[in-house]
Amino acid sequence: MVDLFLDRVLVRNNWDQDELNTEREIIGILENRILMLFFASAECDRCQEFVPTLNDFFKRLKDPFYIENPALLALIYISLDESEEQQESFLKELHKKSLFLAYEDPYRKELQAMFKVTDVPTVVVLRPDCSVLSPNAVEDICRFGCDCFRNWQESAEVVERSFMLNEEFDNLNLRSATDPVRRLKYKTEDDKRKKRWWKVWEKQKPGYEEGEEEQDGRWDAKGKEGERGPWRKR
């Protein structure tokens, strides 16, 4: 599903309507998630009636007040409105954690054709690989509520990563899985540099003799061998 929106601009349905327009942002918000594409229009009475149910469904799966770990789920509103004013009025009714495409983006119509949406409201549910899990989940959401997501999760085989960072990661320093190995490597190299510097400093001390370094090395080697040696029974 990341590929589906990778070259697009998604907008958060918050007060500032923040744009997600970089590859890192799109991947961060959509990767390894089940995606709901909500096709609707402000002029549709059935859409207006369905919105409270959809909001409650989404809130119970994403809001920390209801659930400890927010579900790996994303909701994108695909507007079929006749004007930008209609779209803006409809967005005010949708959950603030949902996303949407700008009204002037022609990709809205492409998605409608791609998923053969002929009626509204329609909720197309997609697996993380962009394959269709449900062509229209409106009825299931109304009938089964949050149990729908559990069925989707099992069918989609979404990986539940309890160690994943929160979605609001803009101010965090992201580290890769190889970070501990890299830190150990750098620490080892730092120790080597310190050891070389110490030897140079020792040679510059007054009264230093060339044989001291070799002798110290032999004593260090003996000490290490003694530390590793087996315990002897008396």
Side-chain angles (χ1 to χ4, degrees):
M1 116 191 14
V2 174
D3 295 340
L4 201 61
F5 292 95
L6 200 55
D7 297 325
R8 301 291 167 175
V9 177
L10 290 174
V11 187
R12 293 183 187 272
N13 189 32
N14 54 19
W15 180 263
D16 297 323
Q17 293 194 343
D18 301 317
E19 292 187 351
L20 305 174
N21 54 15
T22 67
E23 181 177 337
R24 175 178 175 272
E25 289 173 328
I26 298 297
I27 290 175
I29 202 71
L30 297 183
E31 188 178 36
N32 191 48
R33 282 170 171 76
I34 290 174
L35 177 59
M36 296 192 299
L37 300 181
F38 179 37
F39 294 85
S41 170
E43 289 187 334
C44 170
D45 292 336
R46 291 196 303 143
C47 296
Q48 296 283 0
E49 294 172 1
F50 176 64
V51 165
T53 302
L54 179 63
N55 282 342
D56 184 67
F57 171 83
F58 192 65
K59 179 172 61 178
R60 289 180 180 276
L61 290 168
K62 299 293 289 186
D63 195 331
F65 180 80
Y66 295 97
I67 187 168
E68 183 177 355
N69 296 317
L72 299 176
L73 181 69
L75 173 63
I76 301 180
Y77 174 53
I78 311 298
S79 166
L80 300 182
D81 296 296
E82 296 298 327
S83 68
E84 188 172 4
E85 289 73 21
Q86 288 181 353
Q87 175 173 313
E88 289 297 326
S89 66
F90 197 76
L91 286 169
K92 291 178 181 178
E93 306 299 323
L94 277 178
H95 196 280
K96 300 307 177 186
K97 278 186 175 286
S98 61
L99 307 167
F100 66 94
L101 289 168
Y103 181 78
E104 61 272 12
D105 192 339
Y107 196 49
R108 297 183 299 112
K109 298 296 183 181
E110 293 181 33
L111 289 171
Q112 181 185 9
M114 186 185 306
F115 296 105
K116 301 176 181 179
V117 176
T118 57
D119 193 19
V120 288
T122 292
V123 176
V124 179
V125 183
L126 303 178
R127 296 181 179 89
D129 63 359
C130 295
S131 61
V132 176
L133 194 59
S134 174
N136 192 357
V138 170
E139 185 177 347
D140 288 343
I141 291 173
C142 292
R143 289 181 59 188
F144 304 114
C146 294
D147 289 337
C148 283
F149 178 76
R150 299 185 186 93
N151 296 333
W152 298 343
Q153 191 174 27
E154 291 177 3
S155 179
E157 298 180 351
V158 174
V159 179
E160 187 67 49
R161 301 173 184 169
S162 59
F163 58 85
M164 287 182 67
L165 294 175
N166 190 286
E167 287 179 1
E168 307 296 335
F169 57 83
D170 295 339
N171 295 325
L172 297 178
N173 290 323
L174 297 181
R175 295 174 179 171
S176 67
T178 60
D179 185 69
V181 178
R182 191 168 60 251
R183 284 170 175 266
L184 179 60
K185 173 179 177 292
Y186 292 154
K187 181 178 184 300
T188 303
E189 290 178 353
D190 287 342
D191 290 342
K192 289 179 180 178
R193 284 194 293 268
K194 289 177 181 178
K195 190 173 182 179
R196 286 196 299 267
W197 176 87
W198 178 259
K199 289 181 178 179
V200 173
W201 183 81
E202 283 285 337
K203 290 180 179 180
Q204 294 176 352
K205 290 197 307 180
Y208 174 82
E209 296 182 2
E210 292 292 337
E212 289 183 7
E213 182 179 355
E214 184 179 352
Q215 185 176 356
D216 291 343
R218 288 198 300 269
W219 280 108
D220 290 343
K222 289 181 180 179
K224 291 178 180 178
E225 289 175 2
E227 290 175 1
R228 294 196 302 266
W231 291 94
R232 295 182 179 178
K233 295 181 180 180
R234 294 184 177 179

